[in-house]
Amino acid sequence: MKAVILSGGKATRLRPLTCNTPKIMVPVLNRPFLAHLVDYLKRHQVTELILAMGEVPEQVRAYLGVGGGFGVEIAYSSEQSPLGTAGAVKNTEELLRETFVVFNGDIFTDIDLTGMIEWHRRKGAIATIALTPVDDPTVYGVVETDAKDRVRRFTEKPSRDEVTTNMINAGIYVLEPSILTCIRPGVFTMFERDVFPLLLERGEAIYGFASRDYWIDIGTPESYFKLNEDLLHRHIGAKGLRVERQCSVQPSVRIDGPVLIGEGSCVGDGCVLLGPSILGKGCRIDEGALVQRSLLWDDCTVGDGARVRNCLLSSCCRVGRGSALDGCILGDKVTIGANNELPQGVRIWPGKCIDDHAISFQPWSNQEAAKKQGILDVE
Ligand code: GTP
């Protein structure tokens, strides 16, 4: 079966992580998100994948190629300007002759796609939409169904008193090719706003496939972190530690899992790693530094006595000796000089450099002082 993976959005909410890295390539447990998605689709015998993006980044082609290395077939479909979710699928029409799947390229889920495809066929639907429950439906598009699971209404961001269900559109569809006839080529069109409501008006059979299986979209820094945290728990255990090949971790390092240390990383004397945290490949954490509840992509460096808490660092970031970061998001190749304390929650764009002592000096570089203040309690 074929799937169109929608991955041509702007990914603004994940910036600066996504300034130079497409959302489908952000690392999750040290593998590009796309690799997890391909694994999932393969498990459900969906092996002919069409990546619908703006201009296909070289990074994606270099990683996936035509899919042989992953046991799937990959085709690419590009858009000169964004065509919207439905417009992007229309753009691939010539490849879609039979029932197919559409998948938002930022969703990680355990939803039973095989069961959903069977259900779609059994119901004789023109479209089946996966539905997932959320705590607060007022910020989503909710989908109301009747007792036989047929979709009755779509409501965008309902007010509290309008809420009749907490089931939202999960961004996964099984569709019949005939649906493409109601989308105009080259025109920005969205499934949720334009196509599905039109089909309902025409009395077409749209069904909801409700599932309580794990579902998350990695559209925000919080949910991106949450997916990594959940998968650490799933694969490494709530307090677990996984150290990949060719790492050097000094015996004095204190680790409180779950922590994943990527291939070729070095963790120096007296460091503290508190989970959930992930170090990418080739990271270097120098003497007495603290990494807590943070994700570091490949080739990051944290200097002596520096503290990185609740942070997301893209590839090749350098945090200078004695600096302190809390809740910060750094684009790739950001350099923070020594002895800076960044304001909580700042986002720093790729390639920026902050000089030594530029922002609010704190004496964290002195490990003894840090220990006294309870920041590093190395036994
Ligand atoms: P934000 O800018 O942070 O809202 O992210 P986004 O642009 O990725 O938007 P959104 O979460 O609404 O998109 C859901 C999925 O649809 C993502 O995987 C997007 O890449 C994809 N998508 C959204 N718009 C388009 C489009 O115009 N073309 C294509 N091919 N995919 C799209």
Side-chain angles (χ1 to χ4, degrees), residues 202-248:
R202 291 184 183 171
E204 300 275 10
I206 307 183
Y207 281 85
F209 181 79
S211 170
R212 297 194 172 269
D213 289 327
Y214 185 87
W215 178 93
I216 196 165
D217 93 83
I218 58 157
T220 64
E222 295 74 22
S223 62
Y224 168 59
F225 183 85
K226 177 80 167 69
L227 174 61
N228 279 278
E229 177 178 10
D230 290 344
L231 292 187
L232 276 172
H233 282 251
R234 193 185 283 193
H235 294 290
I236 296 179
K239 287 280 164 200
L241 167 66
R242 180 180 296 166
V243 181
E244 292 178 349
R245 294 183 309 157
Q246 294 169 335
C247 291
S248 146

Side-chain angles (χ1 to χ4, degrees), residues 6-13 23 52-53 79 82-85 88 104-106 188 219:
L6 295 168
S7 39
K10 294 201 173 85
T12 47
R13 289 165 299 159
K23 185 156 55 172
M53 316 185 71
E79 293 149 58
L83 290 172
T85 49
N104 278 7
D106 53 1
F188 186 94

Side-chain angles (χ1 to χ4, degrees), residues 37 42-43 48 56 62 70-71 100 109 147 174 212 250 257 260 269 278 299 311 336 342 346 348 377:
L37 183 50
K42 244 171 74 175
R43 280 201 298 280
E48 292 172 73
V56 181
F70 294 82
F100 62 96
T109 185
V174 182
R212 297 194 172 269
Q250 294 306 311
L260 167 62
D269 260 329
I278 299 178
D299 302 308
C311 289
I336 311 289
L342 296 194
V346 292
I348 304 182
D377 54 347

